[in-house]
Amino acid sequence: MSYQHIRLPENGEKITIQDGRLVVPDNPILGFVEGDGIGGDITRAAMRVWNAAVEKSYAGQRKVHWAELYLGEKAAGIYNGDYFPDETLAAVEDLIVSIKGPLTTPVGGGFRSLNVSLRQDLDLYACVRPVQYFDGVPSPMRRPEEVNAIIFRENTEDVYAGIEYESGTPENEKLARFLREEMGAEFFEGAGLGIKPISAFGSKRLVRKAIQYAIDHDHDSVTLVHKGNIQKFTEGAFRKWGYELAEEEFADQTISETDLWDIYDGNRPDGKVVIKDRIADIMFQLMQLRPAEFSVIATTNLNGDYLSDALAAEVGGMGIAPGANMADHVAVFEATHGTAPKYANLDKVNPSSLMFSGSMMFDYIGWGEVSALIASAFGKTISQRIVTYDFARQMDNATEVSTSAFADALIGNM
Ligand code: NAP
């Protein structure tokens, strides 16, 4: 494939897929999008950390060859005002694994959010967000060390599908008439109307990914989080399809929570992943009071949106929360916060969200030594109370450092 502005490094090789698995060479080309606002600062810092961790882990046997891809303001400068160039999308699919900084959604008519566009155009159907506590990180919890979960949020359906009709429009009135006259529905005059599609296809592929992850990484449970007591045919159906999928495709590796108690008296048989479910509202409480009971969480789009920010707050907030948007193979890892424009180019913010998204990326390509090294260097750096401003304002006796100095400290601690 030839590109107009993207340059693929000559000494790198592309990741490929064989028999449904990634084949990763020792010199893979990984894509990166710097992002807008603070994107430049955090990408420069995180990339130094990643490269140092790869070098220290493999002593030159393995090396990432980075290919810069363009989205957002940098893309607009290069591609004549195009914030979302087609060739970037093509490259993200072609390279399979990439990482991106945050992107501004330009204010004004005619722009979809670039992040939403990326998820939809590449059908990145799972938003994956691990929530893990590092000793010494400021947290509002009494026992934050009990929080260790990974959220699989459905990324393409639910109220995010954009099927909404504004009050007072002819479309709204037409739908309202249909609902009242043909379906017997009752609601107030002039109500805005939205449709929430949840399908078996969308639910099952998300739950499949979550269960496979739990099996591959030795997690003891997958919790389906839903609001099925009220929204029976969407949220309730997500729950039903989740259990169905577990039975259809993972019968040997999973058991339901009901069987766990009825047959095994609550003692999980070795190697089995327990499939359980919780209603969304109680889940928020449980994740504060008894977080140790949960590991992998699979949930619908809106629940997942709320839950991932709430859980991130338990272990240090958005400055440190990593994430990824994934299809079956193609994956775009990303900082979960935005562009924080007031801090752009001040070398001030915390690069950890992007940095840990990179750790997820290294785990994804099977280079677990790199993420382990980054985690231990991060732990050491925090224990030395060397932190960026966001942590410094919540900690006593902290040494506040810049984005780049924080990266230096991390590398020094590897
Ligand atoms: P934001 O950029 O996430 O910033 C909100 C606040 O979060 C910041 O003012 C800062 O808090 C804190 N923060 C964010 N990143 C941080 C970091 N790396 N280290 C430490 N603190 C950090 O949210 P926003 O101001 O609502 O959105 C700004 C732009 O970003 C918008 O254009 C929005 O569309 C876009 N956005 C993009 C993405 C994405 O690309 N994935 C996600 C969300 C928003 P303090 O002010 O308290 O220091």
Side-chain angles (χ1 to χ4, degrees):
M1 187 175 302
S2 69
Y3 295 103
Q4 191 189 358
H5 294 295
I6 295 168
R7 300 279 163 265
L8 297 188
E10 278 174 13
N11 296 326
E13 270 179 73
K14 287 183 195 168
I15 292 174
T16 53
I17 297 158
Q18 265 171 32
D19 302 326
R21 301 235 157 223
L22 294 192
V23 179
V24 182
D26 285 343
N27 56 343
I29 304 177
L30 300 182
F32 78 96
V33 175
E34 188 179 276
D36 301 326
I38 55 173
D41 281 345
I42 58 175
T43 301
R44 275 188 295 279
M47 197 167 279
R48 284 199 294 122
V49 172
W50 298 326
N51 287 338
V54 170
E55 173 59 30
K56 282 186 203 292
S57 298
Y58 306 123
Q61 292 295 309
R62 285 176 166 174
K63 182 176 188 297
V64 175
H65 294 256
W66 298 100
E68 181 159 16
L69 316 177
Y70 306 99
L71 285 171
E73 286 161 8
K74 201 162 178 181
I78 295 171
Y79 294 85
N80 248 334
D82 187 355
Y83 284 78
F84 196 69
D86 286 343
E87 73 167 14
T88 298
L89 277 194
V92 168
E93 283 202 290
D94 185 29
L95 298 178
I96 301 173
V97 180
S98 14
I99 188 158
K100 64 175 271 294
L103 296 169
T104 309
T105 298
V107 179
F111 286 106
R112 273 197 302 170
S113 151
L114 299 178
N115 295 302
V116 173
S117 302
L118 193 66
R119 287 170 200 166
Q120 287 178 349
D121 291 3
L122 295 176
D123 197 24
L124 303 173
Y125 61 82
C127 177
V128 184
R129 300 234 177 125
V131 192
Q132 185 193 352
Y133 178 69
F134 287 93
D135 209 19
V137 169
S139 161
M141 301 281 285
R142 269 194 300 150
R143 288 187 296 278
E145 64 284 356
E146 291 184 358
V147 183
N148 189 1
I150 177 158
I151 301 170
F152 285 72
R153 164 189 167 198
E154 205 289 324
N155 231 357
T156 61
E157 298 198 295
D158 203 344
V159 290
Y160 289 71
I163 312 174
E164 280 202 294
Y165 301 97
E166 190 181 355
S167 171
T169 61
E171 293 82 2
N172 174 291
E173 282 161 17
K174 188 172 177 183
L175 179 60
R177 229 177 2 259
F178 168 74
L179 290 172
R180 287 200 182 98
E181 291 171 12
E182 298 195 34
M183 307 300 284
E186 290 178 13
F187 46 89
F188 290 127
E189 268 315 311
L193 297 173
I195 306 257
K196 173 184 174 103
I198 302 270
S199 67
F201 172 75
S203 303
K204 286 187 173 182
R205 68 178 176 173
L206 186 272
V207 174
R208 179 182 299 116
K209 213 173 191 42
I211 295 179
Q212 190 62 56
Y213 182 91
I215 293 168
D216 291 347
H217 295 84
D218 218 8
H219 286 282
D220 58 7
S221 69
V222 173
T223 306
L224 308 170
V225 176
H226 59 88
K227 190 68 190 160
N229 53 332
I230 304 297
Q231 302 166 52
K232 297 186 194 319
F233 306 123
T234 50
E235 296 277 326
F238 174 84
R239 169 186 179 275
K240 182 183 90 164
W241 288 321
Y243 280 116
E244 248 175 50
L245 184 276
E247 269 184 48
E248 287 161 3
E249 298 184 19
F250 298 99
D252 292 343
Q253 295 117 311
T254 61
I255 51 166
S256 68
E257 193 177 34
T258 314
D259 284 353
L260 174 73
W261 288 100
D262 288 355
I263 304 172
Y264 299 99
D265 201 20
N267 299 309
R268 184 173 69 97
D270 269 357
K272 297 267 190 188
V273 177
V274 178
I275 310 296
K276 51 190 177 182
D277 76 278
R278 295 291 181 274
I279 290 174
D281 37 32
I282 196 66
M283 190 64 181
F284 279 83
Q285 183 171 125
L286 290 170
M287 285 308 293
Q288 292 179 62
L289 300 180
R290 286 153 40 199
E293 292 177 13
F294 302 96
S295 58
V296 178
I297 294 168
T299 189
T300 50
N301 206 337
L302 184 60
N303 291 332
D305 195 1
Y306 296 153
L307 200 57
S308 45
D309 278 21
L311 298 202
E314 295 186 353
V315 294
M318 298 307 285
I320 165 173
N325 292 297
M326 296 179 156
D328 287 342
H329 301 291
V330 173
V332 180
F333 296 82
E334 68 170 357
T336 55
H337 55 72
T339 57
K342 67 183 174 187
Y343 297 125
N345 303 315
L346 297 183
D347 193 20
K348 181 175 172 78
V349 295
N350 193 339
S352 302
S353 172
L354 186 67
M355 184 184 78
F356 283 125
S357 303
S359 293
M360 287 176 76
M361 178 174 69
F362 286 112
D363 283 339
Y364 187 61
I365 66 169
W367 292 15
E369 294 82 1
V370 179
S371 53
L373 185 57
I374 292 173
S376 83
F378 181 83
K380 256 191 230 170
T381 310
I382 298 295
S383 70
Q384 294 160 348
R385 310 187 90 70
I386 300 173
V387 292
T388 45
Y389 84 97
D390 51 323
F391 281 12
R393 68 187 170 190
Q394 302 177 65
M395 289 165 72
D396 296 328
N397 306 319
T399 304
E400 182 183 325
V401 295
S402 64
T403 312
S404 54
F406 185 66
D408 292 337
L410 278 165
I411 293 167
N413 276 326
M414 280 178 189

